[in-house]
Amino acid sequence: MKRLSAFILSILCIYAIYFDLTKGTLPDQNKEIAVEASAADHQSAGLEYFEEQVGPGETVLTIMEAELGGPVPVAIETVVNDFQTLNNGIQPEQIQNGKTYKFPSYK
C-alpha cells in the first residue's frame, strides 16, 4: 500500500512539474498587451468619468457609491468593464492607495 501511494504521489508531482513548465501558472504577457490595446481603443467610446484619488481601504465600488450618493445603478460587471476601459486595463483589485484613477460616472 505504501508503494502504491508513493507511486501515485510521484506521478502527481511529475505531472504538476510538466504542467508548470509547459503551460505555466503565470499570465501570458501577450494577452495583457492585447487587453491594454483594446482598452485604449474603447477609451474613445466617450464614457463619462470622474477622477478620484484612492484613500486607504477604499474600493472602486465604495468610491463610486460615495460619488453617486447611493448604490451604483448598473451591474457590477458593467462597472468593472468600464473601469478597465478608462484605466488602460487595470483590474479594480489592483488599485493602489494614493494614486488617481478614472471612475465611470452613471449620473
Side-chain angles (χ1 to χ4, degrees):
M1 188 67 174
K2 288 183 184 180
R3 284 186 176 181
L4 180 61
S5 297
F7 178 72
I8 292 173
L9 184 61
S10 298
I11 295 297
L12 183 63
C13 287
I14 290 170
Y15 175 74
I17 292 169
Y18 169 78
F19 182 82
D20 191 36
L21 292 175
T22 57
K23 305 228 190 299
T25 54
L26 297 176
D28 188 12
Q29 296 296 327
N30 294 333
K31 288 181 183 177
E32 290 181 16
I33 292 171
V35 167
E36 289 179 11
S38 66
D41 293 341
H42 293 311
Q43 193 165 3
S44 62
L47 288 173
E48 292 187 29
Y49 65 90
F50 63 94
E51 292 187 12
E52 185 77 28
Q53 184 175 8
V54 177
E58 289 185 317
T59 64
V60 171
L61 287 178
T62 59
I63 292 171
M64 292 187 61
E65 287 173 348
E67 178 73 17
L68 296 171
V72 180
V74 296
I76 293 176
E77 292 83 17
T78 305
V79 173
V80 169
N81 290 335
D82 291 347
F83 179 83
Q84 289 175 334
T85 300
L86 290 170
N87 294 289
N88 298 327
I90 294 175
Q91 298 285 334
E93 301 86 20
Q94 295 175 332
I95 62 173
Q96 297 176 355
N97 182 21
K99 289 193 174 183
T100 301
Y101 297 97
K102 297 176 183 176
F103 297 89
S105 178
Y106 299 112
K107 291 184 179 181

